[in-house]
Amino acid sequence: MITYIRVKFSKTSLPLLIDYWFSNMDNTSHTYEPAWWLPNPHLQTLYPFLFKKPQEISFISEVFELPDGDFIESIWTSKNNAPTIILLHGLQGSVNSHYINSLLYRIQNETNWNACLLHFRGCSGESNRLERQYHSGDTEDIKFICNLIKQRNPQAPIALVGFSLGGNILLKLFGELKQSNLASTGVAVCPPFDLHQTATAIQQGIGKLYEQMFLQDIKKMYSKKVRSGRASESLLKELNSVSSLIDLDRKVTAPLHGFDSLEEYYNDSSSCNYLPFIKKPTLIIAAKNDPIVNYHKIPEPHEISPHVQLEVYEHGGHIGFMSGPPHAPYYWLDQRILAHLATYIPLDILEIN
């Protein structure tokens, strides 16, 4: 039996289709041209963080109740019975993160997909109920919610896009799922491969500034939890004694989430240990000059599943990837993500005869 698929293109999908067609007409489909006026990795990283104008997005929120009594708040764009793109933010990220806002906007306005941002525990602005938070290998919450979404509409494809810490979680999840039909494809942007290597490297030079920024935000989050009665004073005291991300993971993250040691946490959670087992088409995008995630050691081809496409660029910073002239800067990353997703997820309503 032959199944014929007719695709109905709407005007909202046309801009994405143009991007996709033109990007695949020649060998430049995966070429990133860095903005010449952002000459170093810190400018490439900080420019979109500081200056990228937030786009207006209409969305609805949904709270997912978790099996252990905690919750995760999600943000949805609303298109019924459509493929769903699930977004996973980075460390201390949220719907307000520039890369999340930008991708939500383009999915909402240029495709017929649903987009769903899953806030990790405690990142939605409201303290989560339990003392535990989230960590770099925390796949169980995401797996649980993906299953719920799939049960609601079994025929609608699901794809995942993860950024930084969220990218590490995505890769670990795909390695655990292997051939599961829970998701059709995924994109991991600037994920750490080796958590210990990354936590060590960020302590060097100007990387220490990024590290302290993350630590201050995490401590502020826990202070809020203590005031709400959802975390203990002793935990906050322990947290306030840490001065590095490695300290944080040794004294707080590992014991709080059931790991016997820092080494066990890093070994269990680092995505490099799951790359050989991924069975779904997965794109990884990274920049060698990333000032936050260390890419001095890139996985070799024999260390990666043939289903994984690894694109490592010389420039781009950490979730930066700005292109274009100063008067018309362009966030190339969205185009690359959407082009990959469009290869595996139908762009518009499909009619099967």
Side-chain angles (χ1 to χ4, degrees), residues 85 87 98-108 115 161 163 331 333-334 337-338 341:
I85 313 301
L87 309 187
H98 72 82
Y99 52 89
I100 295 293
N101 172 268
S102 183
L103 190 56
L104 282 174
Y105 178 81
R106 289 198 66 175
I107 290 174
Q108 184 177 64
V161 181
F163 297 86
Y331 195 49
L333 195 56
D334 286 343
I337 293 170
L338 294 175
L341 295 178

Side-chain angles (χ1 to χ4, degrees), residues 163-227:
F163 297 86
S164 196
L165 175 144
N168 185 85
I169 290 176
L170 183 154
L171 296 174
K172 180 175 183 281
L173 176 65
F174 275 29
E176 293 170 343
L177 292 174
K178 298 180 181 178
Q179 294 182 350
S180 165
N181 289 323
L182 189 59
S184 299
T185 188
V187 182
V189 180
C190 300
F193 296 123
D194 185 314
L195 294 174
H196 189 271
Q197 183 185 71
T198 295
T200 301
I202 202 172
Q203 295 179 343
Q204 310 302 315
I206 201 169
K208 192 73 176 174
L209 297 177
Y210 295 105
E211 181 181 50
Q212 292 307 308
M213 179 183 68
F214 287 129
L215 286 175
Q216 288 175 15
D217 200 37
I218 292 169
K219 291 177 180 180
K220 186 184 300 183
M221 176 182 64
Y222 268 102
S223 295
K224 181 180 177 181
K225 284 192 73 171
V226 169
R227 291 194 299 271

